[in-house]
Amino acid sequence: AQSVSQHNHHVILSEAASLELGCNYSYGGTVNLFWYVQYPGQHLQLLLKYFSGDPLVKGIKGFEAEFIKSKFSFNLRKPSVQWSDTAEYFCAVKSSGNTGKLIFGQGTTLQVKP
Amino acid sequence: GAVVSQHPSRVICKSGTSVKIECRSLDFQATTMFWYRQFPKKSLMLMATSNEGSKATYEQGVEKDKFLINHASLTLSTLTVTSAHPEDSSFYICSAEREGRSDTQYFGPGTRLTVL
């Protein structure tokens, strides 16, 4: 069965620190990859997605992610975090064989201290 | 664009009663909507896929008679939790795909259900 694993459950950083959140998935076929963010009290929003092409994907608010097929990974990065980045981050995978079905990771809580 | 709303945002009910949650796509038509359940400090778990005009597809382990889904129009899907019990207390989130585009899901703000 497909699964998504996020290694960091709770990350605490100071402003201006660099961020990398790990995401690994288990599925041998073609996948579409997503990172969603959920700010406190708000709904999930799409940060970025990878379907094909350049494995380095740039999203909103300065976030980027790199798809490394050999490692089944899609790690999220940001060179310099801000207090406003405090939120819950979810990695998600959709296999090409399962139209619409998103499998989510457990989520990572990011707390940025001012 | 691509706004999804849910109503109510929060509901408290007595054990044994039924609760209906609405999910609406406000500025686009959605042939497919999804219902998720989110447990505290846990991930989103897909419950079912709802297609306009047809029966919903439920994930393994989800009771279709308990969680009734209706997708009567291209902008509205409803989830009814029948004979709710305290273990049904959770955060229910819906999402929708734009008609003709299955690459991205847009999420609603969620509904907090508490069953006493």
Side-chain angles (χ1 to χ4, degrees), chain A residues 1 16-18 26 42 49 59-60 72-76 81-84 89 94 96 98 103 106-107 110:
Chain A
S18 64
S26 65
Q42 297 189 28
K49 60 186 177 184
I60 61 172
F72 298 90
S73 70
F74 190 55
N75 292 356
L76 180 71
V81 295
Q82 301 173 313
W83 176 77
S84 58
Y89 291 82
K94 183 169 74 172
S96 59
N98 274 318
I103 307 297
Q106 310 94 309
L110 172 64

PDB file of all heavy atoms in Angstrom, chain A residues 1 16-18 26 42 49 59-60 72-76 81-84 89 94 96 98 103 106-107 110:
ATOM      1  N   ALA A   1       0.838  -1.194   0.000  1.00  0.00           N
ATOM      2  CA  ALA A   1       0.000   0.000   0.000  1.00  0.00           C
ATOM      3  C   ALA A   1       0.878   1.251   0.000  1.00  0.00           C
ATOM      4  O   ALA A   1       1.994   1.250   0.516  1.00  0.00           O
ATOM      5  CB  ALA A   1      -0.887   0.016   1.238  1.00  0.00           C
ATOM      6  N   ALA A  16      14.868  33.581  10.246  1.00  0.00           N
ATOM      7  CA  ALA A  16      16.030  33.653   9.356  1.00  0.00           C
ATOM      8  C   ALA A  16      16.768  32.320   9.246  1.00  0.00           C
ATOM      9  O   ALA A  16      17.682  32.196   8.419  1.00  0.00           O
ATOM     10  CB  ALA A  16      16.990  34.759   9.744  1.00  0.00           C
ATOM     11  N   ALA A  17      16.407  31.353  10.050  1.00  0.00           N
ATOM     12  CA  ALA A  17      17.040  30.037   9.925  1.00  0.00           C
ATOM     13  C   ALA A  17      16.553  29.358   8.653  1.00  0.00           C
ATOM     14  O   ALA A  17      15.479  29.679   8.128  1.00  0.00           O
ATOM     15  CB  ALA A  17      16.718  29.183  11.137  1.00  0.00           C
ATOM     16  N   SER A  18      17.343  28.404   8.185  1.00  0.00           N
ATOM     17  CA  SER A  18      16.927  27.657   6.999  1.00  0.00           C
ATOM     18  C   SER A  18      16.087  26.458   7.422  1.00  0.00           C
ATOM     19  O   SER A  18      16.239  25.918   8.515  1.00  0.00           O
ATOM     20  CB  SER A  18      18.142  27.190   6.208  1.00  0.00           C
ATOM     21  OG  SER A  18      18.900  26.283   6.977  1.00  0.00           O
ATOM     22  N   SER A  26       6.216   5.695  -0.435  1.00  0.00           N
ATOM     23  CA  SER A  26       6.443   4.339  -0.928  1.00  0.00           C
ATOM     24  C   SER A  26       5.431   4.059  -2.024  1.00  0.00           C
ATOM     25  O   SER A  26       4.246   3.912  -1.752  1.00  0.00           O
ATOM     26  CB  SER A  26       6.295   3.315   0.200  1.00  0.00           C
ATOM     27  OG  SER A  26       4.975   3.296   0.679  1.00  0.00           O
ATOM     28  N   GLN A  42      -6.823  28.082   9.767  1.00  0.00           N
ATOM     29  CA  GLN A  42      -7.160  28.222   8.353  1.00  0.00           C
ATOM     30  C   GLN A  42      -7.192  26.867   7.654  1.00  0.00           C
ATOM     31  O   GLN A  42      -6.818  25.844   8.224  1.00  0.00           O
ATOM     32  CB  GLN A  42      -6.156  29.144   7.661  1.00  0.00           C
ATOM     33  CG  GLN A  42      -6.168  30.565   8.198  1.00  0.00           C
ATOM     34  CD  GLN A  42      -5.323  31.495   7.356  1.00  0.00           C
ATOM     35  OE1 GLN A  42      -5.145  31.289   6.157  1.00  0.00           O
ATOM     36  NE2 GLN A  42      -4.806  32.543   7.987  1.00  0.00           N
ATOM     37  N   LYS A  49       3.658  21.883  -6.114  1.00  0.00           N
ATOM     38  CA  LYS A  49       3.372  20.536  -6.590  1.00  0.00           C
ATOM     39  C   LYS A  49       4.370  20.147  -7.669  1.00  0.00           C
ATOM     40  O   LYS A  49       4.923  21.014  -8.358  1.00  0.00           O
ATOM     41  CB  LYS A  49       1.946  20.443  -7.133  1.00  0.00           C
ATOM     42  CG  LYS A  49       1.668  21.383  -8.306  1.00  0.00           C
ATOM     43  CD  LYS A  49       0.197  21.342  -8.695  1.00  0.00           C
ATOM     44  CE  LYS A  49      -0.078  22.335  -9.827  1.00  0.00           C
ATOM     45  NZ  LYS A  49      -1.521  22.398 -10.184  1.00  0.00           N
ATOM     46  N   GLY A  59       7.595  27.103  -5.161  1.00  0.00           N
ATOM     47  CA  GLY A  59       6.208  27.372  -4.813  1.00  0.00           C
ATOM     48  C   GLY A  59       6.016  28.787  -4.328  1.00  0.00           C
ATOM     49  O   GLY A  59       6.846  29.658  -4.558  1.00  0.00           O
ATOM     50  N   ILE A  60       4.924  28.968  -3.601  1.00  0.00           N
ATOM     51  CA  ILE A  60       4.632  30.295  -3.083  1.00  0.00           C
ATOM     52  C   ILE A  60       5.445  30.588  -1.835  1.00  0.00           C
ATOM     53  O   ILE A  60       5.984  29.671  -1.206  1.00  0.00           O
ATOM     54  CB  ILE A  60       3.126  30.444  -2.767  1.00  0.00           C
ATOM     55  CG1 ILE A  60       2.698  29.425  -1.709  1.00  0.00           C
ATOM     56  CG2 ILE A  60       2.299  30.272  -4.033  1.00  0.00           C
ATOM     57  CD1 ILE A  60       1.288  29.630  -1.191  1.00  0.00           C
ATOM     58  N   PHE A  72      12.943   8.322  -3.457  1.00  0.00           N
ATOM     59  CA  PHE A  72      11.502   8.423  -3.181  1.00  0.00           C
ATOM     60  C   PHE A  72      11.252   9.588  -2.214  1.00  0.00           C
ATOM     61  O   PHE A  72      10.475   9.469  -1.257  1.00  0.00           O
ATOM     62  CB  PHE A  72      10.964   7.109  -2.578  1.00  0.00           C
ATOM     63  CG  PHE A  72      11.109   5.935  -3.496  1.00  0.00           C
ATOM     64  CD1 PHE A  72      12.250   5.145  -3.484  1.00  0.00           C
ATOM     65  CD2 PHE A  72      10.093   5.620  -4.397  1.00  0.00           C
ATOM     66  CE1 PHE A  72      12.394   4.069  -4.352  1.00  0.00           C
ATOM     67  CE2 PHE A  72      10.219   4.542  -5.264  1.00  0.00           C
ATOM     68  CZ  PHE A  72      11.371   3.765  -5.244  1.00  0.00           C
ATOM     69  N   SER A  73      11.914  10.689  -2.469  1.00  0.00           N
ATOM     70  CA  SER A  73      11.794  11.812  -1.538  1.00  0.00           C
ATOM     71  C   SER A  73      11.325  13.078  -2.235  1.00  0.00           C
ATOM     72  O   SER A  73      11.495  13.248  -3.443  1.00  0.00           O
ATOM     73  CB  SER A  73      13.133  12.079  -0.844  1.00  0.00           C
ATOM     74  OG  SER A  73      14.078  12.608  -1.764  1.00  0.00           O
ATOM     75  N   PHE A  74      10.719  13.943  -1.437  1.00  0.00           N
ATOM     76  CA  PHE A  74      10.230  15.236  -1.934  1.00  0.00           C
ATOM     77  C   PHE A  74      10.325  16.214  -0.768  1.00  0.00           C
ATOM     78  O   PHE A  74       9.338  16.608  -0.168  1.00  0.00           O
ATOM     79  CB  PHE A  74       8.790  15.090  -2.431  1.00  0.00           C
ATOM     80  CG  PHE A  74       8.261  16.291  -3.180  1.00  0.00           C
ATOM     81  CD1 PHE A  74       8.926  16.795  -4.277  1.00  0.00           C
ATOM     82  CD2 PHE A  74       7.065  16.890  -2.801  1.00  0.00           C
ATOM     83  CE1 PHE A  74       8.435  17.887  -4.986  1.00  0.00           C
ATOM     84  CE2 PHE A  74       6.555  17.983  -3.505  1.00  0.00           C
ATOM     85  CZ  PHE A  74       7.247  18.473  -4.596  1.00  0.00           C
ATOM     86  N   ASN A  75      11.541  16.606  -0.444  1.00  0.00           N
ATOM     87  CA  ASN A  75      11.776  17.450   0.725  1.00  0.00           C
ATOM     88  C   ASN A  75      11.468  18.912   0.447  1.00  0.00           C
ATOM     89  O   ASN A  75      11.763  19.441  -0.623  1.00  0.00           O
ATOM     90  CB  ASN A  75      13.224  17.316   1.188  1.00  0.00           C
ATOM     91  CG  ASN A  75      13.525  15.943   1.747  1.00  0.00           C
ATOM     92  OD1 ASN A  75      12.628  15.102   1.869  1.00  0.00           O
ATOM     93  ND2 ASN A  75      14.773  15.702   2.062  1.00  0.00           N
ATOM     94  N   LEU A  76      10.912  19.550   1.443  1.00  0.00           N
ATOM     95  CA  LEU A  76      10.525  20.960   1.342  1.00  0.00           C
ATOM     96  C   LEU A  76      11.629  21.821   1.952  1.00  0.00           C
ATOM     97  O   LEU A  76      12.157  21.490   3.017  1.00  0.00           O
ATOM     98  CB  LEU A  76       9.214  21.198   2.086  1.00  0.00           C
ATOM     99  CG  LEU A  76       8.665  22.616   2.082  1.00  0.00           C
ATOM    100  CD1 LEU A  76       8.145  22.977   0.680  1.00  0.00           C
ATOM    101  CD2 LEU A  76       7.546  22.765   3.111  1.00  0.00           C
ATOM    102  N   VAL A  81      13.337  31.340   7.121  1.00  0.00           N
ATOM    103  CA  VAL A  81      11.936  31.320   7.556  1.00  0.00           C
ATOM    104  C   VAL A  81      11.568  32.598   8.289  1.00  0.00           C
ATOM    105  O   VAL A  81      12.417  33.290   8.854  1.00  0.00           O
ATOM    106  CB  VAL A  81      11.638  30.103   8.454  1.00  0.00           C
ATOM    107  CG1 VAL A  81      11.788  28.809   7.676  1.00  0.00           C
ATOM    108  CG2 VAL A  81      12.521  30.109   9.704  1.00  0.00           C
ATOM    109  N   GLN A  82      10.263  32.848   8.282  1.00  0.00           N
ATOM    110  CA  GLN A  82       9.722  34.003   9.005  1.00  0.00           C
ATOM    111  C   GLN A  82       8.731  33.516  10.042  1.00  0.00           C
ATOM    112  O   GLN A  82       8.222  32.396   9.954  1.00  0.00           O
ATOM    113  CB  GLN A  82       9.013  34.938   8.016  1.00  0.00           C
ATOM    114  CG  GLN A  82       9.915  35.458   6.913  1.00  0.00           C
ATOM    115  CD  GLN A  82       9.130  36.228   5.863  1.00  0.00           C
ATOM    116  OE1 GLN A  82       8.089  35.780   5.407  1.00  0.00           O
ATOM    117  NE2 GLN A  82       9.639  37.391   5.499  1.00  0.00           N
ATOM    118  N   TRP A  83       8.452  34.368  11.000  1.00  0.00           N
ATOM    119  CA  TRP A  83       7.490  34.020  12.037  1.00  0.00           C
ATOM    120  C   TRP A  83       6.147  33.603  11.427  1.00  0.00           C
ATOM    121  O   TRP A  83       5.479  32.696  11.912  1.00  0.00           O
ATOM    122  CB  TRP A  83       7.305  35.217  12.972  1.00  0.00           C
ATOM    123  CG  TRP A  83       6.274  34.997  14.025  1.00  0.00           C
ATOM    124  CD1 TRP A  83       6.391  34.261  15.165  1.00  0.00           C
ATOM    125  CD2 TRP A  83       4.931  35.503  13.999  1.00  0.00           C
ATOM    126  NE1 TRP A  83       5.218  34.282  15.875  1.00  0.00           N
ATOM    127  CE2 TRP A  83       4.309  35.037  15.183  1.00  0.00           C
ATOM    128  CE3 TRP A  83       4.207  36.302  13.119  1.00  0.00           C
ATOM    129  CZ2 TRP A  83       2.990  35.354  15.487  1.00  0.00           C
ATOM    130  CZ3 TRP A  83       2.893  36.617  13.426  1.00  0.00           C
ATOM    131  CH2 TRP A  83       2.308  36.140  14.596  1.00  0.00           C
ATOM    132  N   SER A  84       5.796  34.238  10.325  1.00  0.00           N
ATOM    133  CA  SER A  84       4.518  33.942   9.676  1.00  0.00           C
ATOM    134  C   SER A  84       4.488  32.564   9.015  1.00  0.00           C
ATOM    135  O   SER A  84       3.434  32.129   8.544  1.00  0.00           O
ATOM    136  CB  SER A  84       4.199  35.012   8.628  1.00  0.00           C
ATOM    137  OG  SER A  84       5.245  35.081   7.666  1.00  0.00           O
ATOM    138  N   TYR A  89       2.584  21.556   8.153  1.00  0.00           N
ATOM    139  CA  TYR A  89       2.954  21.277   6.766  1.00  0.00           C
ATOM    140  C   TYR A  89       2.697  19.804   6.466  1.00  0.00           C
ATOM    141  O   TYR A  89       3.119  18.919   7.218  1.00  0.00           O
ATOM    142  CB  TYR A  89       4.433  21.629   6.524  1.00  0.00           C
ATOM    143  CG  TYR A  89       4.678  23.112   6.585  1.00  0.00           C
ATOM    144  CD1 TYR A  89       4.840  23.752   7.809  1.00  0.00           C
ATOM    145  CD2 TYR A  89       4.722  23.883   5.422  1.00  0.00           C
ATOM    146  CE1 TYR A  89       5.039  25.122   7.880  1.00  0.00           C
ATOM    147  CE2 TYR A  89       4.928  25.251   5.479  1.00  0.00           C
ATOM    148  CZ  TYR A  89       5.081  25.862   6.706  1.00  0.00           C
ATOM    149  OH  TYR A  89       5.266  27.223   6.773  1.00  0.00           O
ATOM    150  N   LYS A  94      -0.055  11.511  -4.904  1.00  0.00           N
ATOM    151  CA  LYS A  94      -1.153  10.943  -5.681  1.00  0.00           C
ATOM    152  C   LYS A  94      -0.534  10.084  -6.772  1.00  0.00           C
ATOM    153  O   LYS A  94       0.285  10.559  -7.543  1.00  0.00           O
ATOM    154  CB  LYS A  94      -2.002  12.055  -6.288  1.00  0.00           C
ATOM    155  CG  LYS A  94      -3.207  11.560  -7.054  1.00  0.00           C
ATOM    156  CD  LYS A  94      -4.145  12.701  -7.406  1.00  0.00           C
ATOM    157  CE  LYS A  94      -3.631  13.585  -8.504  1.00  0.00           C
ATOM    158  NZ  LYS A  94      -4.642  14.574  -8.958  1.00  0.00           N
ATOM    159  N   SER A  96      -0.525   7.944 -10.234  1.00  0.00           N
ATOM    160  CA  SER A  96      -1.197   8.158 -11.513  1.00  0.00           C
ATOM    161  C   SER A  96      -2.317   7.159 -11.723  1.00  0.00           C
ATOM    162  O   SER A  96      -3.243   7.404 -12.469  1.00  0.00           O
ATOM    163  CB  SER A  96      -0.193   8.059 -12.663  1.00  0.00           C
ATOM    164  OG  SER A  96       0.416   6.778 -12.664  1.00  0.00           O
ATOM    165  N   ASN A  98      -4.462   6.226  -9.372  1.00  0.00           N
ATOM    166  CA  ASN A  98      -5.581   6.494  -8.470  1.00  0.00           C
ATOM    167  C   ASN A  98      -6.019   7.930  -8.653  1.00  0.00           C
ATOM    168  O   ASN A  98      -5.570   8.827  -7.964  1.00  0.00           O
ATOM    169  CB  ASN A  98      -5.157   6.282  -7.012  1.00  0.00           C
ATOM    170  CG  ASN A  98      -5.291   4.836  -6.592  1.00  0.00           C
ATOM    171  OD1 ASN A  98      -6.265   4.182  -6.926  1.00  0.00           O
ATOM    172  ND2 ASN A  98      -4.325   4.351  -5.867  1.00  0.00           N
ATOM    173  N   ILE A 103      -2.737  10.735  -0.695  1.00  0.00           N
ATOM    174  CA  ILE A 103      -2.277  10.105   0.527  1.00  0.00           C
ATOM    175  C   ILE A 103      -1.402  11.129   1.251  1.00  0.00           C
ATOM    176  O   ILE A 103      -0.419  11.620   0.689  1.00  0.00           O
ATOM    177  CB  ILE A 103      -1.457   8.840   0.240  1.00  0.00           C
ATOM    178  CG1 ILE A 103      -2.227   7.890  -0.665  1.00  0.00           C
ATOM    179  CG2 ILE A 103      -1.058   8.164   1.547  1.00  0.00           C
ATOM    180  CD1 ILE A 103      -3.505   7.347  -0.077  1.00  0.00           C
ATOM    181  N   GLN A 106       2.036  12.466   7.919  1.00  0.00           N
ATOM    182  CA  GLN A 106       1.499  12.745   9.251  1.00  0.00           C
ATOM    183  C   GLN A 106       1.477  14.237   9.590  1.00  0.00           C
ATOM    184  O   GLN A 106       0.830  14.642  10.544  1.00  0.00           O
ATOM    185  CB  GLN A 106       2.329  12.025  10.320  1.00  0.00           C
ATOM    186  CG  GLN A 106       2.550  10.559  10.044  1.00  0.00           C
ATOM    187  CD  GLN A 106       3.859  10.309   9.316  1.00  0.00           C
ATOM    188  OE1 GLN A 106       4.134  10.928   8.298  1.00  0.00           O
ATOM    189  NE2 GLN A 106       4.667   9.407   9.833  1.00  0.00           N
ATOM    190  N   GLY A 107       2.202  15.006   8.827  1.00  0.00           N
ATOM    191  CA  GLY A 107       2.254  16.437   9.096  1.00  0.00           C
ATOM    192  C   GLY A 107       3.441  16.805   9.966  1.00  0.00           C
ATOM    193  O   GLY A 107       3.894  16.012  10.800  1.00  0.00           O
ATOM    194  N   LEU A 110       5.578  23.334  12.342  1.00  0.00           N
ATOM    195  CA  LEU A 110       6.715  24.262  12.342  1.00  0.00           C
ATOM    196  C   LEU A 110       6.388  25.449  13.229  1.00  0.00           C
ATOM    197  O   LEU A 110       5.365  26.110  13.041  1.00  0.00           O
ATOM    198  CB  LEU A 110       7.016  24.754  10.927  1.00  0.00           C
ATOM    199  CG  LEU A 110       8.076  25.875  10.836  1.00  0.00           C
ATOM    200  CD1 LEU A 110       9.429  25.368  11.316  1.00  0.00           C
ATOM    201  CD2 LEU A 110       8.173  26.408   9.406  1.00  0.00           C
TER     202      LEU A 110
END
